[in-house]
């Protein structure tokens, strides 16, 4: 089933104290919107990314998001309200066969892969599912002068967060129905879904997936990034070799390059991505590529090696890790790598959810020596550095 993530970034909020709308403010040098996109982009259950922006923010969007996203569609302009912006985003996805959609606030950059998966899983048995947190604080109802008018029973009360997931046709129909009825006051998509008669399930999230709204929120986000938790660097290395076979092209670092041979292997034999996958797995001590994708399994015959690299990145992320940079060296007499380097960097950066300047791609010959010098195959060396939460 095709799943799209709809990221709502059309707001004009400046309460966070930044000179630009909060979704374009940076935390740790990375725009909040880009951080939100990266989490969804690295998950294989997400097929499309659609962002809704303010009509005046095209340049801000372009500079904040950058390039190298193969799942990211062109942004669409939002409306006067969040509800109108979501409808614009849904309409943009209506012609590509989307089965499920996750609607997410751009200003929630710390959404976890786990809650995304859990919301999608809940859709197997319900019309809609939303990330939510059970209330722990006592709630007070206030008079106009801020004296307490009463205490509310908090049992059964939850704070709605995002992502909020729905079967696409149902939530699109609900939004269209609300617009036609002149109902424009829904504060989130689950409220609109309830109004339309859809059953919505709560999926427990945690408070870390909070929305950045004020300057205090922005400062807290920076503090969390820099102080909590303490991180330690881990470095992994990888090495791989594939022999040449009859063919007309080779796959190297996610790019197909015309050549007078192909590389022999069970998958697409992308020697660069195989080495890099092992390097990432090495940072968390999680075996090697063959342990997770055995060549004896026909499921992986001809598979694109980007799948293997994305899986390794998810494993790092599941440990709370952040990929700092990666580096690949290809050892071959031919083909020439230089003309394809920028595309390779963009592909690897997109798969890993990092910027292209954190991806090194190099090539060298062996001066005619050894099996690479005899043009019998290609070898690759790779390294990866990640930050993992420090352990005692």
């Amino acid at each position: 089933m095709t799943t799209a993530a709809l990221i709502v970034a059309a707001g004009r909020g400046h309460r966070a104290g930044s000179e630009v709308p909060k979704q374009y403010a940076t935390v740790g040098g990375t725009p909040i919107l880009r951080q939100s996109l990266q989490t969804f982009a690295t998950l294989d259950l997400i097929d499309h990314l659609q962002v809704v922006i303010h009509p005046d923010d095209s340049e801000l969007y372009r500079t904040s998001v950058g390039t190298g996203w193969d799942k990211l569609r062109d942004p669409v302009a939002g409306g006067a309200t969040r509800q109108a912006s979501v409808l614009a985003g849904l309409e943009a996805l209506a012609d590509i066969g989307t089965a499920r959609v996750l609607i997410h606030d751009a200003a929630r950059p710390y959404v976890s892969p786990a809650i995304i998966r859990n919301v999608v899983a809940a859709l197997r048995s319900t019309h809609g599912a939303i990330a939510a947190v059970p209330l722990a604080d006592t709630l007070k109802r206030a008079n106009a002068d801020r004296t307490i008018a009463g205490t509310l029973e908090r049992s059964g009360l939850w704070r709605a967060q995002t992502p909020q997931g729905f079967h696409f046709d149902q939530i699109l129909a609900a939004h269209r129905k609300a617009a036609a009825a002149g109902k424009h006051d829904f504060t989130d998509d689950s409220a609109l879904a309830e109004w339309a008669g859809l059953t919505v399930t709560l999926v427990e999230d945690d408070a870390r997936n909070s929305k950045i709204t004020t300057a205090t929120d922005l400062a807290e986000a920076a503090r969390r990034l820099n102080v909590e938790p303490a991180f330690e660097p881990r470095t992994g290395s990888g090495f791989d070799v594939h022999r040449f076979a009859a063919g007309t092209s080779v796959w190297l670092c996610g790019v197909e390059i015309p050549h007078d041979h192909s590389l022999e292997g069970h998958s697409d034999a992308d020697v660069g991505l195989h080495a890099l996958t092992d390097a990432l797995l090495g940072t968390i001590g999680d075996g090697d590529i063959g342990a997770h994708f055995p060549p004896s399994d026909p499921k992986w015959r001809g598979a694109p090696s980007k799948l293997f690299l994305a899986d390794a990145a998810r494993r790092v992320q599941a440990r709370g890790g952040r990929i700092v940079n990666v580096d690949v060296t290809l050892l071959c007499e031919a083909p020439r790598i230089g003309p394809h380097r920028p595309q390779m960097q963009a592909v690897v950066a997109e798969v890993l959810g990092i910027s292209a300047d954190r991806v090194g791609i190099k090539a060298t010959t062996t001066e005619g020596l050894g099996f690479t010098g005899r043009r019998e195959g290609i070898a690759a060396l790779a390294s990866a550095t990640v930050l993992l939460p420090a352990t005692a």
Side-chain angles (χ1 to χ4, degrees), residues 6-11 52 78-89 102-106 108 161-164 166 175 184 186-192 211:
L6 175 57
I7 311 299
V8 187
V52 185
T81 64
R82 183 187 186 281
Q83 183 180 330
S85 294
V86 171
L87 178 55
L102 299 179
I103 304 169
H104 185 67
D105 298 327
R108 295 184 189 271
Q161 302 194 149
T162 66
Q164 300 192 353
F166 304 93
H175 265 275
H184 305 295
F186 294 106
T187 57
D188 77 342
D189 300 287
S190 64
L192 189 151
K211 189 175 182 178

Side-chain angles (χ1 to χ4, degrees), residues 205-278:
D205 197 3
D206 62 60
R208 287 175 295 181
N209 183 21
S210 57
K211 189 175 182 178
I212 294 177
T213 302
T214 67
T216 300
D217 297 333
L218 195 60
E220 174 62 16
R223 186 185 70 83
R224 283 169 49 190
L225 180 66
N226 294 322
V227 179
E228 296 181 355
F231 285 88
E232 61 183 21
R234 300 281 188 89
T235 301
S237 62
F239 177 76
D240 196 38
V241 173
H242 282 281
R243 70 174 72 240
F244 280 128
T248 58
S249 65
V250 293
W251 282 94
L252 292 172
C253 294
V255 176
E256 187 175 19
I257 302 174
H259 191 50
D260 55 9
H261 287 82
S262 293
L263 288 173
E264 183 178 283
H266 187 67
S267 63
D268 63 5
D270 190 326
V271 65
L273 293 192
H274 291 184
L276 184 52
T277 299
D278 276 351

Side-chain angles (χ1 to χ4, degrees), residues 8-290:
V8 187
R12 310 303 291 153
H14 289 272
R15 282 188 290 163
S18 62
E19 295 181 356
V20 296
K22 61 190 176 185
Q23 60 269 31
Y24 301 110
T26 60
V27 177
T30 303
I32 289 170
L33 172 58
R34 184 177 178 89
Q35 293 183 55
S36 296
L37 281 170
Q38 284 174 340
T39 303
F40 287 91
T42 56
L43 297 175
D44 62 359
L45 58 80
I46 302 298
D47 301 290
H48 303 286
L49 293 169
Q50 179 69 64
V51 183
V52 185
I53 66 173
H54 190 279
D56 296 338
D57 289 347
S58 296
E59 183 62 22
L60 269 176
Y61 172 84
R62 187 187 65 79
T63 57
S64 295
V65 171
T67 59
W69 305 80
D70 63 4
K71 298 179 183 180
L72 185 60
R73 295 165 56 84
D74 290 338
V76 295
T81 64
R82 183 187 186 281
Q83 183 180 330
S85 294
V86 171
L87 178 55
L90 293 174
E91 295 289 5
L93 293 166
D95 62 347
I96 61 171
T98 305
R100 301 173 299 203
V101 62
L102 299 179
I103 304 169
H104 185 67
D105 298 327
R108 295 184 189 271
Y110 299 115
V111 60
S112 71
I115 191 61
I116 296 171
R117 294 190 187 97
N118 291 344
V119 168
V120 170
L123 290 177
R124 297 171 188 156
S125 58
T126 186
H127 299 137
I130 73 168
V133 177
L135 290 181
D137 298 322
T138 298
L139 298 179
K140 301 293 184 180
R141 186 175 62 253
N143 293 311
D145 62 357
R146 294 193 178 181
T147 59
I148 294 174
T151 299
L152 303 181
E153 172 58 48
R154 71 185 180 198
S155 177
L157 295 180
W158 293 63
R159 185 172 74 247
Q161 302 194 149
T162 66
Q164 300 192 353
F166 304 93
H167 298 281
F168 183 81
D169 290 344
Q170 293 177 343
I171 194 63
L172 176 59
H175 265 275
R176 287 173 172 173
K177 179 181 177 182
K183 295 281 293 181
H184 305 295
D185 56 348
F186 294 106
T187 57
D188 77 342
D189 300 287
S190 64
L192 189 151
E194 296 164 43
W195 171 81
L198 301 179
T199 300
V200 182
T201 298
L202 298 167
V203 179
E204 186 165 356
D205 197 3
D206 62 60
R208 287 175 295 181
N209 183 21
S210 57
K211 189 175 182 178
I212 294 177
T213 302
T214 67
T216 300
D217 297 333
L218 195 60
E220 174 62 16
R223 186 185 70 83
R224 283 169 49 190
L225 180 66
N226 294 322
V227 179
E228 296 181 355
F231 285 88
E232 61 183 21
R234 300 281 188 89
T235 301
S237 62
F239 177 76
D240 196 38
V241 173
H242 282 281
R243 70 174 72 240
F244 280 128
T248 58
S249 65
V250 293
W251 282 94
L252 292 172
C253 294
V255 176
E256 187 175 19
I257 302 174
H259 191 50
D260 55 9
H261 287 82
S262 293
L263 288 173
E264 183 178 283
H266 187 67
S267 63
D268 63 5
D270 190 326
V271 65
L273 293 192
H274 291 184
L276 184 52
T277 299
D278 276 351
L280 280 174
L281 292 172
T283 66
I284 55 174
D286 195 5
D288 58 23
I289 191 171

Side-chain angles (χ1 to χ4, degrees), residues 321-340:
R322 298 204 307 269
I323 300 171
V324 177
N325 75 288
V326 297
D327 191 51
V328 179
T329 300
L330 298 165
L331 288 75
C332 59
E333 301 293 324
R336 291 186 61 215
I337 303 303
H340 307 283

